[in-house]
Every structure is written in structure tokens, then in C-alpha cells.
């Protein structure tokens, strides 16, 4: 029940924030970072040439126009808020307090963190600050996949509403064996 409480609380807290936008950009995140205005955040690095930026609606619209002028492919994502952006800052500490009220345990199975891109440590798993960072930190999906692909014949299961994560994983796996 603690997990459901955290999910519901996080959802409620985010829903009370101002709306925002997210923009998928087909370019290396390091290159995008060089032209990214300080008002926007690197929300996710989903592949070697695919990242997501997030921020206020108007700022994202302006950045999309800039990318269009530079002929850099981009697409507005259908979201209600600018997840993993500075627009989440005001609720990170409050969420940490909520997590601190829960009993946290070390994982029974290895977990690859999308905050760090590496295996989660016991210290991270039991640190409320780590879990609160998920609201704000850049999602390092590509780095997490690299860690997973170090395993012999990894099996990945996409349990989301679509198949985006599975598609990204297949693209990044390339010729490496992965199911």
C-alpha cells in the first residue's frame, strides 16, 4: 500500500502544478544542451540521438520554432505537465517528506536506475531524497539500457500503455542479443 500511496500522492502533487510541455528532439542530448535555453530542462535522454526537453508551454513553443529553423526534427509530446523539469522543483522537498514517512527497504532483485543509469545501490533505495529526485532528475533511459545490455541475453518487458520503451530498447540494442 505504501507504493500506491506514493503514486497517488505524487500524481496529486504534480496535478496541482502549472501545466507545461515536453518536446522530443531527434538529436544527441549533449548537442541539444548547447542550444537549450536556461528556462528549459533536459527531461530525458532516451537514446543516443533522442532526448526530451521540458518547460513552460511558451518556452517550449519558442524552442520548437528555433529547432525548426535549424531543421532539427522535433515533436511536441502529449503531456499535461513538464515532467522532470524545473517546473517540478517546488514539490520535490514535500515529496521527500512523504517518502521519508514510508518504510524503505533494499531491493530483493537488482534494479537499474533511470536517475543514474546504473544499478541502484542499497543506500539509494533506502534514501527518500533519491526517490524525490525522480520528480526532477533527467531520465537516463539510454544509460540504463546500456547497463542492462551488459548482461548476456537480457529480457526486457515493456508494461506501459504503448510500445515506445520497447522500440527505443530495440533501436539501442542494435546487433546485441536482447529479447
Amino acid at each position: 500500500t505504501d507504493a500506491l500511496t506514493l503514486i497517488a500522492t505524487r500524481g496529486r502533487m504534480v496535478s496541482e502544478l502549472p501545466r507545461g510541455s515536453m518536446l522530443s528532439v531527434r538529436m544527441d542530448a549533449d548537442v541539444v544542451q548547447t542550444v537549450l535555453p536556461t528556462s528549459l530542462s533536459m527531461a530525458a535522454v532516451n537514446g543516443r540521438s533522442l532526448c526530451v526537453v521540458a518547460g513552460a508551454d511558451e518556452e517550449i513553443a519558442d524552442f520548437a520554432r528555433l529547432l525548426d529553423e535549424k531543421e532539427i526534427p522535433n515533436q511536441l509530446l502529449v503531456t499535461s505537465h513538464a515532467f522532470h523539469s524545473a517546473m517540478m522543483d517546488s514539490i520535490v522537498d514535500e515529496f521527500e517528506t512523504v517518502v521519508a514517512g514510508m518504510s524503505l527497504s533494499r531491493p530483493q532483485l537488482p534494479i537499474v536506475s533511470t536517475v543514474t543509469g546504473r544499478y541502484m545501490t542499497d543506500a539509494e533505495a533506502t534514501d527518500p531524497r533519491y526517490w524525490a529526485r525522480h520528480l526532477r532528475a533527467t531520465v537516463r533511459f539510454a544509460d540504463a539500457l546500456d547497463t542492462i545490455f551488459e548482461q548476456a541475453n537480457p529480457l526486457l518487458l515493456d508494461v506501459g500503455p504503448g510500445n515506445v520503451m520497447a522500440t527505443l530498447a530495440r533501436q539501442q540494442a542494435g546487433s546485441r542479443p536482447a529479447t
Side-chain angles (χ1 to χ4, degrees), residues 39-155:
S39 59
L40 297 178
S41 301
M42 182 64 62
V45 180
N46 287 332
R48 296 297 155 233
S49 297
L50 183 63
C51 62
V52 177
V53 298
D57 294 338
E58 320 78 53
E59 298 285 337
I60 288 290
D62 290 344
F63 190 58
R65 281 191 288 279
L66 172 70
L67 294 175
D68 288 343
E69 289 170 9
K70 295 179 177 287
E71 298 183 359
I72 298 171
N74 65 89
Q75 181 174 351
L76 193 63
L77 300 177
V78 180
T79 63
S80 59
H81 291 80
F83 300 102
H84 304 285
S85 78
M87 292 183 78
M88 300 289 122
D89 286 347
S90 65
I91 62 172
V92 171
D93 290 341
E94 182 184 352
F95 188 68
E96 180 180 357
T97 300
V98 173
V99 177
M102 304 290 174
S103 177
L104 301 176
S105 303
R106 67 177 198 78
Q108 298 301 303
L109 297 171
I111 297 173
V112 177
S113 166
T114 57
V115 171
T116 65
R118 57 180 170 67
Y119 283 99
M120 180 186 295
T121 66
D122 290 352
E124 288 167 336
T126 56
D127 180 2
R129 188 71 188 161
Y130 169 84
W131 294 106
R133 283 180 53 209
H134 272 269
L135 283 166
R136 175 62 175 94
T138 300
V139 176
R140 304 226 162 264
F141 186 70
D143 293 339
L145 283 175
D146 283 342
T147 298
I148 291 168
F149 290 144
E150 291 173 1
Q151 299 296 314
N153 300 309
L155 173 67

Side-chain angles (χ1 to χ4, degrees), residues 18-41:
R19 291 183 56 82
S21 295
M22 299 181 80
L23 185 73
S24 177
V25 182
R26 245 209 209 271
M27 180 173 272
D28 181 279
D30 291 335
V31 176
V32 172
Q33 198 72 53
T34 65
V35 295
L36 190 67
T38 56
S39 59
L40 297 178
S41 301

